[in-house]
Amino acid sequence: MSSTPHSLSRRGALLAGTAALAGGLGLALGPAARTEAAVRLPEGWRSPSSALTPAQRAGQCVIHSYPGLTPPARLLTAISEGRTAGVIFFGENIKNLAQIEGVIREMNEAHASAPVKAPLLLMTDQEGGLVRRLPGEPVLSAKDVGASTDPAGQAEFTGSGAGMNLAGVGMNVNLAPVLDVYRTAGDFTDQYGRSYGKDPAAVGVCGSAFITAQQNAGVAATAKHFPGLGPASASQNTDLGPVTLTTSAATLRGVDEVPYRAAIAAGTKLVMLSWAIYRALDADRPAGLSPTVVGELRNRLGFPGVTVTDALEAGALRAYGGTAERAVLAAAAGMDLILCSARDTAQGEEAVTALSEALTAGTLDGTAFDAGAARVNALRSALS
């Protein structure tokens, strides 16, 4: 996510271990083979769309959030009834490692009665440095890593630390690493130490090392924010308002997209798209609402995994309606996961309702939507 860091500054002990999540083969939602660069699904999977209610079908592509330390009953109900793909956690949800481990156990118990048995996606932003929701590793920021005497080795260390820390409490997705190639000292990405550096190849090396080490620990990685927020100035924050970047297509492809090629080659499971508008690619819509920019990722770079939006409540989307309108636009653009991260369970419920109604009315392409849900469920089953 592109937000100002919501940090946990104290150093916590690194907990090793793997996630103890609800297992079982998940349900594949739709003909993924019909979409270009789709994930290969396990043999024998069949589309169960008819076995799911419209809300359950829509919920396979929505991530919920909640306020405070205790998940509300309505979120646990949504989990047990199969109306969500998972949950994102923030600092306000986490008192300590034992507490959040207990919350995750409660969510997995609720999930046991859901119709889709593949594990929930339980995620957070554990980039390192200032942007850490859990205490503990990775302590070093991306900037620290890039400036070290052994950037690749440090990136591997921090990726392994992030993976073991998250897996130790039962989380299975990290919304990291940031692959933005910053331009000037103190700009949007650099000011919080979130960029590995100015050299796109070096960023790619560090990002790939982080991804590989983290995924070896059983936690899926998310490369972000495609096609790159490196050109953004210090004041260009998509969480707060609209951002338009005038970077040329040649520079985007020759600089900003370079680390994504490396990340895709390393097998990153997810890619998060930016909410900035990139005039050279699509002058009318933010990247995460643009079929053109999603096509850039899928077709030009060949990414076969799960696409995920940045925060759906971001100020950059103020011209695109409320939660309902934004969720449908994002799904129509090719986003597989809709990130409802306002710390309000009602936001996720509103997205599910809007997607369900659009699918029922035929205003949202059901085949393409189910292919996205199939990619999400293939990811979930791989994390069991």
Side-chain angles (χ1 to χ4, degrees), residues 228-229 231-233 235-238 241-247 274-280 282-287 316 320:
L229 285 173
S233 69
S235 62
Q236 289 183 303
N237 185 343
T238 57
V243 172
T244 297
L245 299 176
T246 57
T247 312
S274 158
W275 283 141
I277 291 175
Y278 298 81
R279 281 187 180 167
D282 185 339
D284 298 320
R285 288 190 176 184
Y320 298 91

Side-chain angles (χ1 to χ4, degrees), residues 184-208:
T184 60
D187 66 14
F188 175 73
T189 306
D190 179 60
Q191 64 183 319
Y192 300 114
R194 301 177 79 193
S195 174
Y196 288 114
K198 295 181 178 181
D199 178 353
V203 173
V205 168
C206 288
S208 298

Side-chain angles (χ1 to χ4, degrees), residues 1 4-5 28 49 52 57-58 64 96 131 144 149 161 224 228 230 360 367:
M1 298 171 67
T4 300
S49 294
L52 298 177
R57 182 187 182 195
H64 283 64
N96 53 48
V131 186
D144 294 332
T149 57
K224 63 184 185 184
T360 300
T367 298

Side-chain angles (χ1 to χ4, degrees), residues 149-243:
T149 57
D150 181 15
Q154 289 293 341
E156 181 180 2
F157 176 81
T158 54
S160 179
M164 289 190 290
N165 197 1
L166 269 62
V169 298
M171 295 186 196
N172 55 11
V173 177
N174 190 7
L175 299 176
V178 171
L179 298 186
D180 298 335
V181 181
Y182 88 94
R183 302 301 204 268
T184 60
D187 66 14
F188 175 73
T189 306
D190 179 60
Q191 64 183 319
Y192 300 114
R194 301 177 79 193
S195 174
Y196 288 114
K198 295 181 178 181
D199 178 353
V203 173
V205 168
C206 288
S208 298
F210 185 104
I211 287 163
T212 299
Q214 179 177 268
Q215 292 188 163
N216 283 344
V219 174
T222 308
K224 63 184 185 184
H225 311 80
F226 185 84
L229 285 173
S233 69
S235 62
Q236 289 183 303
N237 185 343
T238 57
D239 276 359
L240 302 180
V243 172

Side-chain angles (χ1 to χ4, degrees), residues 31-32 50 116 121 127 184 227 236 239 249 285 298 301 312 323-324 334 336 345 348 383:
S50 60
V116 176
L121 297 176
E127 299 173 12
T184 60
Q236 289 183 303
D239 276 359
R285 288 190 176 184
R298 290 283 189 212
L301 275 66
L312 198 66
T323 294
D336 299 332
T345 303
L383 294 171

Side-chain angles (χ1 to χ4, degrees), residues 1 31 44 86 117 134 195 217 266 280 294-295 302 328-329 335 344 373 375 377:
M1 298 171 67
K117 299 305 179 184
L134 282 170
S195 174
V294 176
V328 173
L329 284 171
M335 302 306 298
D344 182 356
R375 286 188 288 271
N377 277 277

Side-chain angles (χ1 to χ4, degrees), residues 2-355:
S2 62
S3 59
T4 300
H6 183 80
S7 63
L8 285 165
S9 59
R10 72 181 183 84
R11 293 174 182 246
L14 170 63
L15 290 185
T18 56
L21 299 174
L25 185 63
L27 297 174
L29 299 186
R34 296 182 191 176
T35 63
E36 188 169 359
V39 166
R40 186 183 299 277
L41 299 177
E43 225 176 286
W45 279 26
R46 292 179 175 84
S47 171
S49 294
S50 60
L52 298 177
T53 69
Q56 288 168 339
R57 182 187 182 195
Q60 301 313 299
C61 293
V62 175
I63 298 295
H64 283 64
S65 62
Y66 64 98
L69 296 175
T70 303
R74 64 194 295 183
L75 175 57
L76 295 174
T77 298
I79 290 171
S80 68
E81 294 180 356
R83 292 184 280 107
T84 185
V87 178
I88 180 171
F89 301 98
F90 290 90
E92 70 179 81
N93 306 129
I94 301 168
K95 181 178 181 181
N96 53 48
L97 298 177
Q99 172 266 338
I100 194 61
E101 187 175 8
V103 167
I104 288 171
R105 185 162 50 247
E106 185 179 15
M107 289 180 177
N108 285 329
E109 289 170 355
H111 179 61
S113 62
V116 176
K117 299 305 179 184
L120 291 167
L121 297 176
L122 300 169
M123 61 184 65
T124 196
D125 297 272
Q126 192 77 359
E127 299 173 12
L130 291 174
V131 186
R132 290 183 296 153
R133 314 309 190 194
L134 282 170
E137 292 292 342
V139 174
L140 293 179
S141 69
K143 185 173 185 175
D144 294 332
V145 169
S148 70
T149 57
D150 181 15
Q154 289 293 341
E156 181 180 2
F157 176 81
T158 54
S160 179
M164 289 190 290
N165 197 1
L166 269 62
V169 298
M171 295 186 196
N172 55 11
V173 177
N174 190 7
L175 299 176
V178 171
L179 298 186
D180 298 335
V181 181
Y182 88 94
R183 302 301 204 268
T184 60
D187 66 14
F188 175 73
T189 306
D190 179 60
Q191 64 183 319
Y192 300 114
R194 301 177 79 193
S195 174
Y196 288 114
K198 295 181 178 181
D199 178 353
V203 173
V205 168
C206 288
S208 298
F210 185 104
I211 287 163
T212 299
Q214 179 177 268
Q215 292 188 163
N216 283 344
V219 174
T222 308
K224 63 184 185 184
H225 311 80
F226 185 84
L229 285 173
S233 69
S235 62
Q236 289 183 303
N237 185 343
T238 57
D239 276 359
L240 302 180
V243 172
T244 297
L245 299 176
T246 57
T247 312
S248 70
T251 299
L252 287 171
R253 291 166 179 163
V255 176
D256 297 285
E257 292 183 8
V258 168
Y260 290 92
R261 293 187 182 277
I264 292 166
T268 188
K269 301 297 186 184
L270 304 96
V271 170
M272 176 184 286
L273 275 79
S274 158
W275 283 141
I277 291 175
Y278 298 81
R279 281 187 180 167
L281 301 180
D282 185 339
D284 298 320
R285 288 190 176 184
L289 300 184
S290 169
T292 301
V293 180
V294 176
E296 180 90 1
L297 175 64
R298 290 283 189 212
N299 304 325
R300 180 178 286 274
L301 275 66
F303 177 60
V306 171
T307 52
V308 57
T309 71
D310 204 337
L312 198 66
E313 66 278 6
L317 304 186
R318 62 177 56 142
Y320 298 91
T323 294
E325 293 81 7
R326 296 174 186 187
V328 173
L329 284 171
M335 302 306 298
D336 299 332
L337 274 177
I338 310 300
L339 191 60
C340 295
S341 53
R343 286 78 142 181
D344 182 356
T345 303
Q347 182 197 28
E349 293 171 347
E350 187 176 350
V352 168
T353 298
L355 293 169

